[in-house]
């Protein structure tokens, strides 16, 4: 895990309000988090017709329910979800500060994020269908993958640790397998026989 520096703008000084996360030293992305109750206020901080990916989420008894979406007018799309989806209490929006992301990039990020949450996380994905993965050339795929990687790194800081897994989350067989795998690099065990101190 690399060391990195982030800037957090806490609007109106509210810990539970709108926050804008930046990594200006090594990334042109911008992540905005906010509660559902302030969704209408976020439009002041995101230009219209901005491509982006968003996560709508809620937490109940330690489990998260998430919906991942993308749009070329992300604020308008989230406004639609205020009426169309009742489950969510908070949102995360990923955009680029220099508008480098196009619709193909955000489509790739959406598809791969949904797939990874389904495969790795134990949390509930509310998406009805798996989004299609647009075919990107290598350069565009590297750009999109960088944005996805930065988002994954920063999600726990924002209170959404989708990919963190603790021992308490594992069943007994899974804990045994994890412990076994931890020591699988050792392929030789020396056992004293009790004779002549030989092994």
């Amino acid at each position: 895990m690399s060391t990195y520096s982030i800037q957090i703008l806490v609007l109106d000084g509210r810990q539970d309000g709108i926050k804008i996360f930046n990594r200006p030293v090594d990334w042109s992305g911008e992540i905005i988090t906010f509660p559902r109750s302030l969704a209408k206020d976020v439009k002041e901080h995101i230009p219209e017709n901005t491509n982006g990916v968003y996560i709508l989420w809620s937490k109940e008894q330690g489990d998260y329910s998430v919906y991942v979406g993308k749009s070329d007018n992300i604020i308008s799309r989230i406004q639609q979800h205020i009426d169309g989806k009742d489950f969510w209490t908070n949102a995360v929006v990923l955009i680029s500060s220099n508008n480098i992301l196009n619709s193909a990039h955000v489509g790739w990020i959406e598809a791969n994020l949904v797939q990874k949450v389904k495969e790795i996380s134990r949390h509930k994905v509310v998406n009805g269908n798996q989004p299609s993965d647009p075919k990107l050339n290598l350069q565009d795929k590297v750009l999109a993958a960088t944005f996805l990687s930065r988002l994954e790194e920063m999600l726990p800081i924002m209170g959404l640790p989708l990919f963190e897994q603790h021992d308490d989350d594992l069943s007994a067989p899974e804990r045994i397998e994890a412990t076994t795998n931890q020591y699988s690099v050792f392929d030789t065990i020396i056992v004293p026989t009790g004779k002549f101190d030989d092994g």
Side-chain angles (χ1 to χ4, degrees), residues 85-102:
K85 293 187 178 357
D86 295 328
F87 81 94
W88 64 284
T89 58
N90 295 276
V92 174
V93 171
L94 169 67
I95 61 174
S96 57
S97 58
N98 58 1
N99 208 27
I100 196 173
L101 293 177
N102 60 35

Side-chain angles (χ1 to χ4, degrees), residues 170-183:
L170 302 177
S171 64
E174 288 172 329
R175 281 197 294 271
I176 292 172
E177 182 180 356
T179 303
T180 302
N181 291 338
Q182 180 181 358
Y183 298 104

Side-chain angles (χ1 to χ4, degrees), residues 3 56 58-59 76 80 85 93 97 102 158 165 171 181:
T3 300
L56 308 178
S58 63
K59 181 180 180 181
S76 175
Q80 294 173 8
K85 293 187 178 357
V93 171
S97 58
N102 60 35
M158 301 164 188
Q165 193 171 49
S171 64
N181 291 338

Side-chain angles (χ1 to χ4, degrees), residues 130-165:
Q130 170 66 38
S132 59
D133 186 347
K135 301 303 180 183
L136 300 179
N137 62 39
L138 182 58
Q139 182 175 351
D140 286 326
K141 186 177 290 187
V142 169
L143 172 63
T146 299
F147 270 76
L148 179 56
S149 176
R150 296 290 186 266
L151 176 64
E152 291 174 6
E153 286 177 352
M154 296 171 67
L155 279 176
I157 299 172
M158 301 164 188
L160 186 57
L162 286 182
F163 304 110
E164 288 187 352
Q165 193 171 49

Side-chain angles (χ1 to χ4, degrees), residues 189-199:
I189 299 177
I190 299 176
V191 180
T193 63
K195 294 182 178 180
F196 311 108
D197 294 327
D198 291 334

Side-chain angles (χ1 to χ4, degrees), residues 32-36 54-57 78 88-93:
I32 301 153
T33 65
F34 55 93
R36 181 189 182 114
Y54 60 90
I55 305 172
L56 308 178
W57 64 276
I78 289 177
W88 64 284
T89 58
N90 295 276
V92 174
V93 171

